[in-house]
PDB file of all heavy atoms in Angstrom:
ATOM      1  N   LEU A  35     228.213  93.690 248.627  1.00 62.00           N
ATOM      2  CA  LEU A  35     227.517  94.998 248.648  1.00 62.00           C
ATOM      3  C   LEU A  35     226.345  94.894 249.571  1.00 62.00           C
ATOM      4  O   LEU A  35     225.430  94.084 249.340  1.00 62.00           O
ATOM      5  CB  LEU A  35     227.065  95.362 247.251  1.00 62.00           C
ATOM      6  CG  LEU A  35     226.392  96.722 247.047  1.00 62.00           C
ATOM      7  CD1 LEU A  35     227.293  97.848 247.497  1.00 62.00           C
ATOM      8  CD2 LEU A  35     226.016  96.917 245.577  1.00 62.00           C
ATOM      9  N   ASP A  36     226.266  95.684 250.641  1.00 82.00           N
ATOM     10  CA  ASP A  36     225.184  95.588 251.597  1.00 82.00           C
ATOM     11  C   ASP A  36     224.111  96.544 251.333  1.00 82.00           C
ATOM     12  O   ASP A  36     223.818  97.506 252.095  1.00 82.00           O
ATOM     13  CB  ASP A  36     225.819  95.752 252.984  1.00 82.00           C
ATOM     14  CG  ASP A  36     224.912  95.267 254.077  1.00 82.00           C
ATOM     15  OD1 ASP A  36     223.801  94.783 253.786  1.00 82.00           O
ATOM     16  OD2 ASP A  36     225.306  95.427 255.267  1.00 82.00           O
ATOM     17  N   ALA A  37     223.426  96.364 250.200  1.00 88.00           N
ATOM     18  CA  ALA A  37     222.331  97.271 249.762  1.00 88.00           C
ATOM     19  C   ALA A  37     221.202  97.239 250.748  1.00 88.00           C
ATOM     20  O   ALA A  37     220.575  98.282 251.024  1.00 88.00           O
ATOM     21  CB  ALA A  37     221.852  96.889 248.408  1.00 88.00           C
ATOM     22  N   GLU A  38     220.899  96.095 251.331  1.00 88.00           N
ATOM     23  CA  GLU A  38     219.803  96.035 252.301  1.00 88.00           C
ATOM     24  C   GLU A  38     220.027  96.871 253.493  1.00 88.00           C
ATOM     25  O   GLU A  38     219.141  97.633 253.974  1.00 88.00           O
ATOM     26  CB  GLU A  38     219.598  94.584 252.767  1.00 88.00           C
ATOM     27  CG  GLU A  38     218.984  93.695 251.726  1.00 88.00           C
ATOM     28  CD  GLU A  38     218.786  92.245 252.163  1.00 88.00           C
ATOM     29  OE1 GLU A  38     219.531  91.832 253.059  1.00 88.00           O
ATOM     30  OE2 GLU A  38     217.831  91.641 251.733  1.00 88.00           O
ATOM     31  N   ARG A  39     221.243  96.872 254.039  1.00 88.00           N
ATOM     32  CA  ARG A  39     221.581  97.702 255.202  1.00 88.00           C
ATOM     33  C   ARG A  39     221.470  99.178 254.851  1.00 88.00           C
ATOM     34  O   ARG A  39     220.918  99.953 255.621  1.00 88.00           O
ATOM     35  CB  ARG A  39     222.977  97.366 255.705  1.00 88.00           C
ATOM     36  CG  ARG A  39     223.391  98.219 256.950  1.00 88.00           C
ATOM     37  CD  ARG A  39     224.839  97.994 257.330  1.00 88.00           C
ATOM     38  NE  ARG A  39     225.756  98.261 256.279  1.00 88.00           N
ATOM     39  CZ  ARG A  39     226.164  99.486 255.933  1.00 88.00           C
ATOM     40  NH1 ARG A  39     225.674 100.561 256.489  1.00 88.00           N
ATOM     41  NH2 ARG A  39     227.048  99.673 254.951  1.00 88.00           N
ATOM     42  N   LEU A  40     221.974  99.574 253.695  1.00 90.00           N
ATOM     43  CA  LEU A  40     221.949 100.952 253.239  1.00 90.00           C
ATOM     44  C   LEU A  40     220.517 101.390 253.116  1.00 90.00           C
ATOM     45  O   LEU A  40     220.149 102.528 253.426  1.00 90.00           O
ATOM     46  CB  LEU A  40     222.735 101.161 251.955  1.00 90.00           C
ATOM     47  CG  LEU A  40     224.251 100.981 252.108  1.00 90.00           C
ATOM     48  CD1 LEU A  40     224.914 100.990 250.713  1.00 90.00           C
ATOM     49  CD2 LEU A  40     224.845 102.117 252.943  1.00 90.00           C
ATOM     50  N   LEU A  41     219.660 100.557 252.480  1.00 92.00           N
ATOM     51  CA  LEU A  41     218.241 100.857 252.317  1.00 92.00           C
ATOM     52  C   LEU A  41     217.541 101.015 253.667  1.00 92.00           C
ATOM     53  O   LEU A  41     216.806 102.020 253.854  1.00 92.00           O
ATOM     54  CB  LEU A  41     217.546  99.857 251.472  1.00 92.00           C
ATOM     55  CG  LEU A  41     216.052 100.097 251.187  1.00 92.00           C
ATOM     56  CD1 LEU A  41     215.819 101.399 250.452  1.00 92.00           C
ATOM     57  CD2 LEU A  41     215.454  98.956 250.405  1.00 92.00           C
ATOM     58  N   ASP A  42     217.795 100.132 254.597  1.00 90.00           N
ATOM     59  CA  ASP A  42     217.205 100.233 255.901  1.00 90.00           C
ATOM     60  C   ASP A  42     217.639 101.551 256.611  1.00 90.00           C
ATOM     61  O   ASP A  42     216.784 102.160 257.231  1.00 90.00           O
ATOM     62  CB  ASP A  42     217.662  99.055 256.786  1.00 90.00           C
ATOM     63  CG  ASP A  42     216.994  97.717 256.346  1.00 90.00           C
ATOM     64  OD1 ASP A  42     215.985  97.762 255.613  1.00 90.00           O
ATOM     65  OD2 ASP A  42     217.443  96.652 256.809  1.00 90.00           O
ATOM     66  N   GLU A  43     218.923 101.944 256.481  1.00 90.00           N
ATOM     67  CA  GLU A  43     219.366 103.138 257.107  1.00 90.00           C
ATOM     68  C   GLU A  43     218.754 104.363 256.474  1.00 90.00           C
ATOM     69  O   GLU A  43     218.332 105.318 257.193  1.00 90.00           O
ATOM     70  CB  GLU A  43     220.866 103.251 257.000  1.00 90.00           C
ATOM     71  CG  GLU A  43     221.691 102.372 257.929  1.00 90.00           C
ATOM     72  CD  GLU A  43     223.164 102.513 257.811  1.00 90.00           C
ATOM     73  OE1 GLU A  43     223.608 103.516 257.171  1.00 90.00           O
ATOM     74  OE2 GLU A  43     223.926 101.645 258.285  1.00 90.00           O
ATOM     75  N   ALA A  44     218.594 104.353 255.123  1.00 92.00           N
ATOM     76  CA  ALA A  44     217.971 105.447 254.452  1.00 92.00           C
ATOM     77  C   ALA A  44     216.540 105.659 254.879  1.00 92.00           C
ATOM     78  O   ALA A  44     216.070 106.737 255.118  1.00 92.00           O
ATOM     79  CB  ALA A  44     218.079 105.235 252.915  1.00 92.00           C
ATOM     80  N   VAL A  45     215.815 104.554 254.915  1.00 91.00           N
ATOM     81  CA  VAL A  45     214.420 104.588 255.339  1.00 91.00           C
ATOM     82  C   VAL A  45     214.286 105.073 256.746  1.00 91.00           C
ATOM     83  O   VAL A  45     213.408 105.939 257.103  1.00 91.00           O
ATOM     84  CB  VAL A  45     213.680 103.193 255.158  1.00 91.00           C
ATOM     85  CG1 VAL A  45     212.346 103.176 255.770  1.00 91.00           C
ATOM     86  CG2 VAL A  45     213.620 102.832 253.685  1.00 91.00           C
ATOM     87  N   GLU A  46     215.123 104.565 257.649  1.00 91.00           N
ATOM     88  CA  GLU A  46     215.133 104.949 259.050  1.00 91.00           C
ATOM     89  C   GLU A  46     215.391 106.459 259.214  1.00 91.00           C
ATOM     90  O   GLU A  46     214.812 107.143 260.117  1.00 91.00           O
ATOM     91  CB  GLU A  46     216.217 104.169 259.806  1.00 91.00           C
ATOM     92  CG  GLU A  46     216.331 104.467 261.290  1.00 91.00           C
ATOM     93  CD  GLU A  46     217.443 103.698 261.966  1.00 91.00           C
ATOM     94  OE1 GLU A  46     217.559 102.463 261.709  1.00 91.00           O
ATOM     95  OE2 GLU A  46     218.177 104.265 262.726  1.00 91.00           O
ATOM     96  N   HIS A  47     216.208 107.027 258.373  1.00 91.00           N
ATOM     97  CA  HIS A  47     216.553 108.465 258.396  1.00 91.00           C
ATOM     98  C   HIS A  47     215.617 109.324 257.589  1.00 91.00           C
ATOM     99  O   HIS A  47     215.798 110.529 257.467  1.00 91.00           O
ATOM    100  CB  HIS A  47     217.998 108.707 257.999  1.00 91.00           C
ATOM    101  CG  HIS A  47     218.998 108.260 258.994  1.00 91.00           C
ATOM    102  ND1 HIS A  47     219.553 106.986 258.919  1.00 91.00           N
ATOM    103  CD2 HIS A  47     219.524 108.810 260.096  1.00 91.00           C
ATOM    104  CE1 HIS A  47     220.391 106.843 259.942  1.00 91.00           C
ATOM    105  NE2 HIS A  47     220.398 107.927 260.668  1.00 91.00           N
ATOM    106  N   GLY A  48     214.678 108.685 256.923  1.00 92.00           N
ATOM    107  CA  GLY A  48     213.661 109.453 256.113  1.00 92.00           C
ATOM    108  C   GLY A  48     214.234 109.997 254.800  1.00 92.00           C
ATOM    109  O   GLY A  48     213.676 110.974 254.271  1.00 92.00           O
ATOM    110  N   LEU A  49     215.310 109.375 254.303  1.00 93.00           N
ATOM    111  CA  LEU A  49     215.901 109.815 253.073  1.00 93.00           C
ATOM    112  C   LEU A  49     215.138 109.328 251.835  1.00 93.00           C
ATOM    113  O   LEU A  49     214.706 108.190 251.861  1.00 93.00           O
ATOM    114  CB  LEU A  49     217.365 109.387 252.992  1.00 93.00           C
ATOM    115  CG  LEU A  49     218.260 109.885 254.066  1.00 93.00           C
ATOM    116  CD1 LEU A  49     219.674 109.336 253.846  1.00 93.00           C
ATOM    117  CD2 LEU A  49     218.297 111.414 254.088  1.00 93.00           C
ATOM    118  N   PRO A  50     214.976 110.126 250.816  1.00 94.00           N
ATOM    119  CA  PRO A  50     214.322 109.585 249.602  1.00 94.00           C
ATOM    120  C   PRO A  50     215.224 108.587 248.943  1.00 94.00           C
ATOM    121  O   PRO A  50     216.406 108.720 248.861  1.00 94.00           O
ATOM    122  CB  PRO A  50     214.123 110.867 248.747  1.00 94.00           C
ATOM    123  CG  PRO A  50     215.068 111.837 249.275  1.00 94.00           C
ATOM    124  CD  PRO A  50     215.376 111.507 250.715  1.00 94.00           C
ATOM    125  N   CYS A  51     214.524 107.523 248.397  1.00 95.00           N
ATOM    126  CA  CYS A  51     215.255 106.482 247.672  1.00 95.00           C
ATOM    127  C   CYS A  51     214.640 106.261 246.320  1.00 95.00           C
ATOM    128  O   CYS A  51     213.392 106.423 246.138  1.00 95.00           O
ATOM    129  CB  CYS A  51     215.205 105.135 248.483  1.00 95.00           C
ATOM    130  SG  CYS A  51     215.999 105.230 250.083  1.00 95.00           S
TER     131      CYS A  51
END
Side-chain angles (χ1 to χ4, degrees):
L35 183 59
D36 197 0
E38 287 180 331
R39 181 187 55 79
L40 291 171
L41 180 61
D42 289 345
E43 286 181 15
V45 170
E46 182 181 314
H47 289 93
L49 300 178
C51 296

